[in-house]
């Protein structure tokens, strides 16, 4: 098993329309990359407001490259993106 990396993204306030317009392309990126272990949106007051994606890939550079290629990033959805190595302990 390769190392795991968490991609932690926070949406810009009021950007739900960008998320929804780009969602199909984002989900295709997840599906087609073959390295996503877990993925899902953060929720606040019932609305999507960010993303958590866990990648199983070779190194931090590969994880960062995945995050940089995310259609959400190209659509300027995020106010912040953090990519950090993550260790699975439970589950």
């Amino acid at each position: 098993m390769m190392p795991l990396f968490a991609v932690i993204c926070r949406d810009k306030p009021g950007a739900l329309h960008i998320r929804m317009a780009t969602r199909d392309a984002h989900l295709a990126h997840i599906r087609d990359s073959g390295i996503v272990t877990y993925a899902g949106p953060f929720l606040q007051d019932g609305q999507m407001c960010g993303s958590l994606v866990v990648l199983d890939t070779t190194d931090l550079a590969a994880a960062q490259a995945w995050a940089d290629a995310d259609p959400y990033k190209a659509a300027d959805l995020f106010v912040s993106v953090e990519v950090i190595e993550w260790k699975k302990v439970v589950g």
Side-chain angles (χ1 to χ4, degrees):
M1 184 171 168
M2 290 186 278
L4 297 173
F5 297 88
V7 181
I8 304 162
C9 308
R10 301 290 184 166
D11 293 3
K12 291 180 176 178
L16 184 60
H17 65 285
I18 296 171
R19 174 176 281 275
M20 298 313 296
T22 315
R23 192 157 195 242
D24 287 345
H26 168 74
L27 293 174
H29 178 58
I30 286 174
R31 181 187 63 245
D32 296 345
S33 69
I35 63 171
V36 177
T37 302
Y38 306 103
F42 293 124
L43 301 174
Q44 188 170 36
D45 299 322
Q47 297 289 322
M48 292 180 281
C49 62
S51 301
L52 171 64
V53 181
V54 177
L55 306 173
D56 186 353
T57 191
T58 53
D59 55 31
L60 181 60
Q64 186 66 57
W66 185 95
D68 289 344
D70 187 345
Y72 280 166
K73 179 172 173 134
D76 201 29
L77 173 62
F78 301 129
V79 69
S80 68
V81 176
E82 180 180 9
V83 181
I84 187 167
E85 190 167 358
W86 181 73
K87 181 178 178 181
K88 180 180 174 183
V89 175
V90 176

